[in-house]
Amino acid sequence: MKRVGGKRKQKWKTYTYAYRHTAVTQHGSVYWRTASREVLNHLPAEQPLHIALQTCFSISDSPIWMDSSTRAECHHLEKSIGGAQVLANITGSRAYERFTGNQIAKVYKQKPKEYSQCERISLVSSFAASLFIGDYAPIDYSDGSGMNLLDIHKKTWDETCLNACAPGLKEKLGSVVPSSSVLGNVSSYHVQRYGFSPHCSVVAFTGDNPASLAGMRLEEGDIAVSLGTSDTLFLWIKDPTPALEGHIFINPVHFEDYMALLCFKNGSLMREKIRDNCSSASWEEFSNILRSTPPGNNGHIGFFFDVMEITPQVVGIHRFNAKNQKVSEFPQDVEVRALIEGQFMAKRIYAERLGYKILPQTKILATGGASCNQDILQDLHCNLQHQLLQTL
């Protein structure tokens, strides 16, 4: 096992055949005012975009992924479709407060006039692509999967979901396209103002999570684990099994496949807290404890949630001894291994529920701050039971 990272020599080339931004945040929405398309089509090269577009939006403060104020809209959507699991089966996720369909439903309910004045709703990704092509860019399959509106199997908007959120929504959203679609050439605005080649093509933009799967070059059966403040799993799968925890998106690289995503809030901060309590705030001592304790921890296991977890929704410290009895504390060496094994065991369990299967060629790609710790990586390898662990 080796870690690949640090400074690298870069060689820069100018590419004129395609332009693509691959790290646009997910779950944000932009509301184009009626007649804005005409403005986009004829942007004056002498003006900056914020001046040229200042009259183009019916909502001045667009909701983004940090807005979790749509619980009522989520309940309405799940009830309209037949329940949380039915919604997950169709759209890849149960109703989430941050997802764009529920945000649109709130806008329609609280600002009906502004909604009626809107002729197109873009995601942040398709909005950015629109600026480059000088026209409304379609939403791509993968980012569109994070809206609670797209049927991830048929790859079309689900009529029942649309109707549950707002009237006339299908027309306002426009079409959806594969994430690799070429949308056209850059507009004359960018040619004249910034010197782009008129032959430079624009590929559909996508969200940050799908872009991470593409950027880490995952292949079928691979799993990427980001060990940061929050821990995140990305999976390339063919046969998804949508669940009430986690998300299924259409794969941004091959749209006939899927990507699964799981996010765990109690990541490195939880590991650092146990390090401080059990190994004198020393990662070296923490690693020594991991090396000195046996895999399986002699049957002791723990689940450590300092703050309310996303998957599952639970908080608190839960320790179990070899007899499956809940106990109030562990010896320090048992505590350290219980934390690490509990974290990675949970990741595997939830990944398998979403359709993850180990294949002969599967790779585990680890990134994030904790991926520099070889002993933590070794435990990740043991818990996910794979032949190859590569870190980026």
Side-chain angles (χ1 to χ4, degrees), residues 347-362:
K347 290 171 175 55
R348 170 166 181 163
I349 289 171
Y350 282 105
E352 288 177 339
R353 289 181 182 178
L354 291 175
Y356 173 61
K357 298 181 179 67
I358 295 176
L359 303 175
Q361 73 273 19
T362 295

Side-chain angles (χ1 to χ4, degrees), residues 223-342:
I223 179 170
V225 185
S226 176
L227 300 173
T229 303
S230 296
D231 290 346
T232 306
L233 268 69
F234 301 96
L235 313 168
W236 181 309
I237 56 179
K238 278 191 172 294
D239 301 308
T241 54
L244 297 183
E245 301 90 4
H247 313 287
I248 301 291
F249 299 145
I250 296 171
N251 193 297
V253 180
H254 294 293
F255 66 83
E256 293 181 354
D257 294 345
Y258 298 87
M259 68 169 285
L261 182 147
L262 288 160
C263 186
F264 302 86
K265 190 179 295 185
N266 291 270
S268 283
L269 294 181
M270 191 70 249
R271 289 187 286 271
E272 290 171 5
K273 184 172 184 177
I274 298 300
R275 176 205 62 185
D276 294 346
N277 293 340
C278 298
S279 55
S280 304
S282 166
W283 281 120
E284 182 177 358
E285 185 177 337
F286 188 94
S287 295
N288 289 335
I289 291 174
L290 280 178
R291 287 194 295 271
S292 66
T293 50
N297 212 15
N298 295 317
H300 299 86
I301 190 67
F303 302 98
F304 298 76
F305 308 111
D306 195 39
V307 296
M308 178 62 71
E309 186 53 84
I310 300 170
T311 309
Q313 291 188 342
V314 65
V315 69
I317 309 299
H318 309 273
R319 304 176 183 90
F320 299 88
N321 62 21
K323 297 181 180 180
N324 201 29
Q325 298 168 328
K326 192 166 185 178
V327 295
S328 59
E329 61 182 18
F330 282 147
Q332 290 184 343
D333 58 339
V334 174
E335 182 96 329
V336 168
R337 179 162 286 279
L339 164 73
I340 297 300
E341 290 191 344

Side-chain angles (χ1 to χ4, degrees), residues 59-238:
I59 301 290
S60 58
D61 298 316
S62 296
I64 61 171
W65 65 272
M66 297 177 69
D67 189 329
S68 297
S69 62
T70 60
R71 180 168 296 182
E73 289 76 17
C74 288
H75 290 164
H76 174 71
L77 177 58
E78 289 183 346
K79 183 178 180 180
S80 299
I81 204 72
Q85 185 60 59
V86 175
L87 182 64
N89 292 341
I90 296 170
T91 70
S93 305
R94 66 172 304 164
Y96 278 87
E97 286 85 352
R98 298 174 294 116
F99 276 28
T100 320
N102 305 300
Q103 295 290 341
I104 293 171
K106 180 182 175 183
V107 167
Y108 167 68
K109 184 166 63 176
Q110 296 188 352
K111 300 179 179 180
K113 180 179 178 180
E114 289 86 346
Y115 179 82
S116 67
Q117 293 172 341
C118 168
E119 71 177 10
R120 177 61 67 96
I121 299 174
S122 295
L123 297 183
V124 175
S125 55
S126 60
F127 165 72
S130 300
L131 300 182
F132 279 95
I133 65 173
D135 202 353
Y136 293 147
I139 293 171
D140 78 289
Y141 287 165
S142 199
D143 205 4
S145 304
M147 299 175 70
N148 279 144
L149 296 176
L150 187 70
D151 187 319
I152 62 172
H153 308 286
K154 297 178 181 178
K155 299 175 178 63
T156 58
W157 301 119
D158 182 83
E159 297 284 351
T160 304
C161 293
L162 294 174
N163 294 334
C165 290
L169 187 50
K170 186 174 184 179
E171 291 72 21
K172 294 181 188 294
L173 292 176
S175 61
V176 283
V177 297
S179 303
S180 58
S181 300
V182 176
L183 305 182
N185 292 339
V186 292
S187 69
S188 60
Y189 174 87
H190 292 280
V191 174
Q192 296 171 27
R193 185 174 178 88
Y194 297 110
F196 275 73
S197 165
H199 305 296
C200 178
S201 298
V202 179
V203 181
F205 286 27
T206 193
D208 54 353
N209 288 314
S212 295
L213 180 140
M216 295 184 76
R217 302 183 66 183
L218 263 65
E219 299 176 350
E220 180 188 349
D222 289 349
I223 179 170
V225 185
S226 176
L227 300 173
T229 303
S230 296
D231 290 346
T232 306
L233 268 69
F234 301 96
L235 313 168
W236 181 309
I237 56 179
K238 278 191 172 294

